[in-house]
Amino acid sequence: QKEVEQNSGPLSVPEGAIASLNCTYSDRGSQSFFWYRQYSGKSPELIMFIYSNGDKEDGRFTAQLNKASQYVSLLIRDSQPSDSATYLCAASYGGATNKLIFGTGTLLAVQP
Amino acid sequence: EAGVTQSPTHLIKTRGQQATLRCSPISGHTSVYWYQQALGLGLQFLLWYDEGEERNRGNFPPRFSGRQFPNYSSELNVNALELEDSALYLCASSNGWRGTENQPQHFGDGTRLSIL
């Protein structure tokens, strides 16, 4: 069974701090990794995607991938109260499989 | 650019009835995906359509089915509704797929299906 694991949280950080969200996956065949943000009662919104080992930065967000350790993380710099949401990690197994396996999400609470 | 649109927003049915949910992908996207998000559970993959063909199916019974039309819009049909089918049904689209690096999927606002 292919799985994606996340700590459900809540992860509480003060405004302006760095929030670090982590995710592990079980299948080494995973090729593509995605982070989505989901506000309560809303649909998931794509934040970042990463395919290769290393870091990928986009504004205040940095995605990190370590395929050897089967580990993906999302760093949010200068956290704002508006960042408070559930963050979903998803892995895709590539090619004709092309479905996303989602973790259950980490609830982030940014305290003003 | 318009995003993924889904209709209806809410749907209330009773056990045994049939439900039809609709999705229009982002313009230019050929792949449409359906996911179920039940209360307290994560998103579960249901179906993937690309170029009018069903490409992959999740671990759901056959009463969950769908199709993709020539304009790439899609329908999800759920027959013989059961109480546990109550969930948020999300449609996503992507710009096809290539090799091992899957194109990001963008989600619509969902249809909340309630079974009484």
Side-chain angles (χ1 to χ4, degrees):
Chain A
Q1 177 75 9
K2 298 170 183 173
E3 292 184 344
V4 174
E5 302 280 348
Q6 294 181 259
N7 187 319
S8 62
L11 173 65
S12 184
V13 299
E15 184 174 355
I18 296 175
S20 178
L21 302 157
N22 304 313
C23 170
T24 59
Y25 58 96
S26 63
D27 193 320
R28 289 191 177 275
S30 304
Q31 299 289 340
S32 309
F33 303 89
F34 305 86
W35 283 99
Y36 288 86
R37 176 174 64 195
Q38 188 172 27
Y39 293 110
S40 181
K42 300 295 185 182
S43 64
E45 174 192 8
L46 180 68
I47 298 295
M48 295 281 292
F49 58 94
I50 187 167
Y51 301 136
S52 304
N53 279 327
D55 295 359
K56 179 181 178 182
E57 187 174 317
D58 184 1
R60 296 188 296 114
F61 299 97
T62 298
Q64 299 174 317
L65 174 60
N66 184 326
K67 289 188 177 182
S69 301
Q70 296 176 239
Y71 179 89
V72 192
S73 65
L74 178 70
L75 301 177
I76 306 175
R77 289 181 297 281
D78 188 24
S79 296
Q80 301 297 309
S82 58
D83 294 325
S84 298
T86 296
Y87 287 80
L88 301 169
C89 174
S92 180
Y93 296 85
T97 303
N98 202 24
K99 65 180 181 182
L100 294 179
I101 305 296
F102 281 89
T104 53
T106 298
L107 178 61
L108 173 65
V110 180
Q111 307 299 327
Chain B
E1 176 184 90
V4 177
T5 58
Q6 292 187 244
S7 63
T9 304
H10 294 92
L11 191 56
I12 299 174
K13 295 284 186 178
T14 57
R15 288 178 61 189
Q17 285 189 313
Q18 186 251 356
T20 298
L21 289 63
R22 296 180 176 84
C23 172
S24 292
I26 291 170
S27 178
H29 285 188
T30 61
S31 280
V32 170
Y33 313 80
W34 288 95
Y35 292 85
Q36 182 196 66
Q37 189 173 34
L39 194 62
L41 299 177
L43 280 95
Q44 302 293 321
F45 169 76
L46 266 166
L47 289 159
W48 167 35
Y49 293 94
D50 183 73
E51 299 284 359
E53 300 286 331
E54 182 181 302
R55 302 292 184 180
N56 199 3
R57 182 181 181 84
N59 189 24
F60 281 84
R63 57 192 186 81
F64 287 84
S65 65
R67 55 180 171 167
Q68 186 179 32
F69 300 99
N71 66 353
Y72 303 115
S73 67
S74 178
E75 248 179 29
L76 174 68
N77 295 293
V78 189
N79 294 319
L81 287 164
E82 300 179 1
L83 293 176
E84 53 265 33
D85 297 334
S86 293
L88 179 65
Y89 288 83
L90 291 160
C91 173
S93 74
S94 74
N95 187 12
W97 55 284
R98 62 162 197 236
T100 57
E101 293 180 354
N102 296 118
Q103 297 299 303
Q105 297 178 22
H106 299 269
F107 284 85
D109 289 336
T111 292
R112 187 161 298 281
L113 176 62
S114 299
I115 312 302
L116 304 179

